[in-house]
Amino acid sequence: MFVIRWILGRIVLLVNALTAPKPAQRPAEQQAKLDQAMARYSLYQYDACPFCVKVRRALRRNNFNIELRDAKQEPHRSELEAGGGRLMVPCLRIEEAGEVRWMYESSDIIAYLEQQYGDQPQTA
């Protein structure tokens, strides 16, 4: 079973690499402000997880520069389990006003980020 999962994971990564979306283009000043806002987020994920790939593709498409943390490696694994309560990915760590929230589910993460930051005008 491990070999099958490994092979499927590599296929997912290959397809993702070949079909990666183009990042949104913004004026440098606007992108810098967005990058500053993105500093409060971290995405706990696995490289070959299809749901994590879905979130990473949305991050790239929207040009959201969020820190990616490999939840298979320490100390990120322990942080995810202690803070979020379970070892499930993808998980978005949200820091607001000194409070930390954890959001699971790829569709919820994408919807939240696009709702918060997706309405920013883009230039070609």
Side-chain angles (χ1 to χ4, degrees), residues 59-121:
L59 295 179
R60 180 176 168 88
R61 184 175 49 255
N62 288 291
N63 209 355
F64 295 158
N65 298 315
I66 293 177
E67 178 186 5
L68 301 178
R69 296 182 176 179
D70 185 353
K72 289 184 179 180
Q73 304 296 320
E74 290 297 339
H76 305 308
R77 180 183 172 94
S78 297
E79 291 170 1
L80 177 59
E81 190 171 27
R86 53 190 165 160
L87 286 174
M88 186 174 111
V89 293
C91 182
L92 184 66
R93 181 181 186 270
I94 306 165
E95 226 177 293
E96 293 178 307
E99 299 285 320
V100 175
R101 292 186 308 143
W102 299 82
M103 180 179 294
Y104 291 93
E105 300 299 330
S106 57
S107 295
D108 292 345
I109 292 169
I110 294 167
Y112 170 81
L113 291 170
E114 287 180 347
Q115 178 186 10
Q116 295 293 314
Y117 305 101
D119 291 334
Q120 301 198 13

Side-chain angles (χ1 to χ4, degrees), residues 1-13 48 50:
M1 189 61 160
F2 171 79
V3 173
I4 292 171
R5 289 182 69 183
W6 186 86
I7 291 169
L8 289 175
R10 298 303 160 240
I11 292 170
V12 166
L13 291 174

